Amino acid sequence: KPKQTTLHPTHRQVEQHPSTHTGSAHRSWTHSRFRPPAPRDGVEASFIYPSRPPLHSRRAHSFPRHCLLLRRDISMAAHVRGCRCSSLFLSSFFAGSVCFHSGCGFLVRFYYISLHMSAGGKKIVGVFYQAGEYADKNPDFVGCVEGALGIRDWLESNGHHYIVTDDKEGLNSELEKHIEDMHVLITTPFHPAYVTAERIKKAKNLELVLTAGIGSDHIDLLAAAAAGLTVAEVTGSNTVSVAEDQLMRILILLRNFLPGYQQVVKGEWNVAGIAHRAYDLEGKTVGTVGAGRIGRLLLQRLKPFNCNMLYHDRIRINPELEKEIGAKFEEDLDVMLPKCDVIVINTPLTEKTRGMFNKEKIAKMKKGVIIVNNARGAIMDTQAVADACSNGYIAGYGGDVWFPQPAPKDHPWRYMPNHAMTPHTSGTTIDAQLRYASGVKDMLDRYFKGEDFPVENYIVKEGELASQYK
């Protein structure tokens, strides 16, 4: 049970203020299940819990101190009669309501939106993209700020403090306000919070960084390892989503679909303008740079198209699966590149792969190549790709990953010809959101219980980086 202590007058910073809100405050009590005690000197508090009998008319000296500490980041709405609440902040709070009376006849009623943070509760910050007008269009849309991964009630009912924002950049951002005392940070590749060495140094209480999805390159992993942090992601959560998206973009670029769509929108009709560079996928050679979960699934999805499949990876696929898929292993990337009509990037972003596809590497490819990149934008040399698309050496470039993200309005990939680029969406389908939300909840539950995560989810554990990031 929380330690109880006397309420100090400074915990209720209330000032006299003319008000016309008498009726609303009175009605809020009239329609309440429990009526307040008559106003008297001192402060009275009435509690209404949703799932237990009320502790009615408790005096201030027995009011739990942990519910009254001033805190700058949590403010409660109130109905006020005869006064204005200038600043009453609670560090921990519970579902229900609290009403304060004073001898002057004040009535301040506070409405709470979550259960109180217990002594062992954790402060958890989630950084996701804002849904705005789309938030209510699908009840399973949980990957946004408004959806908050669908774990708010669960976290707060267990005494934890959960803050969700999309404001992540700069010293004045909402994220920056919570860095010093947060215990857990949840972020996402689709709207990444860049966890730099400087931020890690400030985060004195930080213990765990979770990626809701796949790919943790937005985190300074060496700094995280040095600080003893645990970094994990929901491995496999959007494998299907990304592999399907890659296949879609291959077909869109090969069949020259986008110019045809644009003709229709503009009211035009020019078959030759589309057909002169439209090709079948059958019989083409497709190579994937990286054959992890997504790369292997893409190869499996490509098999019915009767194309030639190559792959390059530091680890060879199991021979039986390799035979079943019909893909050929290429140990030397520079040997594989000129053989391919289509190249798909499926390697993680590491210091070794950052800027890997520069002007020289692109020159090793076949002229007229199509490139699909749903891995990470920083694997490519941005300007080299834009130049090669402009001069026709790359016949088409598609993907949904940029650097940085969100991409600035003047990013050259927005304006280069023959591209099939979108915002980073391939791994955040509704199905993927439900999978990575479930995975995050599972890891948080294990974290609270002191249990290990599934081994494949770890990116940094006990100061050691996962092998793919070394």
Side-chain angles (χ1 to χ4, degrees):
K1 294 182 179 179
K3 182 180 179 181
Q4 298 179 350
T5 187
T6 302
L7 172 66
H8 191 277
T10 57
H11 290 152
R12 54 177 184 89
Q13 298 179 6
V14 180
E15 62 187 55
Q16 288 279 11
H17 184 73
S19 175
T20 58
H21 295 161
T22 303
S24 64
H26 177 71
R27 282 195 301 274
S28 68
W29 268 118
T30 301
H31 291 90
S32 175
R33 225 179 120 191
F34 304 102
R35 299 184 67 82
R40 67 181 85 175
D41 290 340
V43 176
E44 294 283 338
S46 177
F47 298 71
I48 300 175
Y49 287 82
S51 59
R52 66 183 74 177
L55 301 176
H56 187 50
S57 300
R58 298 192 63 171
R59 290 192 60 82
H61 64 265
S62 63
F63 197 86
R65 182 173 183 269
H66 78 283
C67 289
L68 292 171
L69 296 178
L70 291 174
R71 189 66 173 268
R72 59 187 165 86
D73 56 343
I74 308 172
S75 60
M76 301 294 107
H79 289 299
V80 183
R81 183 179 67 172
C83 68
R84 179 178 64 196
C85 178
S86 61
S87 59
L88 176 58
F89 299 93
L90 307 179
S91 64
S92 305
F93 46 103
F94 49 85
S97 63
V98 176
C99 294
F100 298 103
H101 294 266
S102 78
C104 303
F106 297 166
L107 172 61
V108 184
R109 186 175 189 184
F110 295 90
Y111 293 95
Y112 296 84
I113 54 175
S114 60
L115 297 180
H116 72 279
M117 180 171 165
S118 65
K122 301 291 187 180
K123 182 174 183 179
I124 300 159
V125 177
V127 178
F128 312 114
Y129 52 82
Q130 190 79 240
E133 62 184 293
Y134 305 103
D136 297 327
K137 294 187 179 296
N138 190 329
D140 292 330
F141 190 6
V142 297
C144 55
V145 167
E146 295 84 348
L149 298 184
I151 58 175
R152 182 180 293 283
D153 290 346
W154 172 70
L155 284 173
E156 293 176 347
S157 67
N158 284 282
H160 305 292
H161 183 189
Y162 188 33
I163 296 168
V164 177
T165 183
D166 70 326
D167 185 14
K168 62 190 180 71
E169 302 295 343
L171 295 177
N172 296 320
S173 66
E174 186 66 20
L175 172 60
E176 199 74 22
K177 295 176 185 176
H178 302 287
I179 282 179
E180 290 187 3
D181 62 347
M182 65 183 178
H183 299 93
V184 180
L185 174 62
I186 307 170
T187 184
T188 169
F190 318 106
H191 187 75
Y194 291 102
V195 185
T196 62
E198 291 75 19
R199 280 181 162 173
I200 290 172
K201 188 176 181 180
K202 292 180 185 177
K204 304 299 183 184
N205 291 343
L206 187 60
E207 300 170 343
L208 174 63
V209 182
L210 293 177
T211 297
I214 302 174
S216 298
D217 47 89
H218 50 278
I219 302 163
D220 188 325
L221 297 178
L222 292 177
L229 303 182
T230 296
V231 180
E233 58 189 38
V234 191
T235 299
S237 59
N238 50 23
T239 299
V240 171
S241 309
V242 176
E244 288 183 356
D245 188 276
Q246 290 175 339
L247 180 55
M248 175 188 73
R249 291 177 201 265
I250 290 171
L251 289 168
I252 282 173
L253 290 167
L254 271 174
R255 301 304 296 264
N256 206 25
F257 172 84
L258 288 174
Y261 168 77
Q262 290 161 358
Q263 280 188 24
V264 171
V265 171
K266 294 176 182 178
E268 301 173 354
W269 190 276
N270 183 352
V271 174
I274 305 163
H276 79 284
R277 59 191 308 272
Y279 297 90
D280 297 338
L281 176 54
E282 184 175 27
K284 303 300 182 295
T285 298
V286 181
T288 174
V289 182
R293 288 176 175 81
I294 296 172
R296 289 197 302 270
L297 187 58
L298 174 65
L299 293 172
Q300 290 173 311
R301 295 287 194 267
L302 284 168
K303 184 177 180 179
F305 288 89
N306 297 320
C307 49
N308 305 310
M309 294 179 289
L310 307 176
Y311 75 95
H312 168 79
D313 200 293
R314 59 191 179 85
I315 300 174
R316 189 165 184 171
I317 295 175
N318 178 285
E320 292 183 5
L321 181 59
E322 184 180 278
K323 183 177 180 181
E324 177 187 332
I325 295 173
K328 180 183 176 184
F329 175 65
E330 292 282 352
E331 187 173 0
D332 190 331
L333 177 61
D334 289 344
V335 171
M336 184 184 85
L337 292 179
K339 299 177 181 179
C340 298
D341 302 296
V342 178
I343 293 171
V344 185
I345 311 301
N346 274 311
T347 186
L349 176 62
T350 67
E351 289 308 309
K352 292 180 180 178
T353 62
R354 187 178 298 275
M356 177 180 181
F357 286 92
N358 52 23
K359 183 178 180 180
E360 290 72 29
K361 191 69 74 175
I362 291 172
K364 296 179 184 294
M365 301 177 186
K366 181 186 295 187
K367 184 176 181 180
V369 68
I370 283 173
I371 301 175
V372 172
N373 178 16
N374 287 56
R376 288 296 181 265
I379 294 173
M380 316 300 291
D381 180 321
T382 299
Q383 195 57 52
V385 170
D387 291 343
C389 283
S390 297
N391 63 32
Y393 197 87
I394 294 177
Y397 183 90
D400 67 334
V401 288
W402 310 67
F403 184 78
Q405 290 187 181
K409 291 184 178 181
D410 61 350
H411 196 291
W413 290 357
R414 291 180 182 269
Y415 309 105
M416 62 189 184
N418 302 319
H419 78 75
M421 294 296 297
T422 67
H424 195 171
T425 58
S426 63
T428 188
T429 63
I430 295 298
D431 303 282
Q433 289 175 46
L434 294 174
R435 287 191 292 265
Y436 62 68
S438 176
V440 166
K441 182 178 180 180
D442 175 69
M443 286 193 287
L444 285 174
D445 190 43
R446 290 169 184 257
Y447 163 69
F448 297 143
K449 294 176 180 177
E451 299 175 354
D452 283 344
F453 302 159
V455 64
E456 65 271 15
N457 287 6
Y458 283 108
I459 303 302
V460 177
K461 182 184 181 184
E462 297 176 353
E464 288 292 321
L465 270 68
S467 59
Q468 67 267 35
Y469 285 96
K470 290 182 178 179

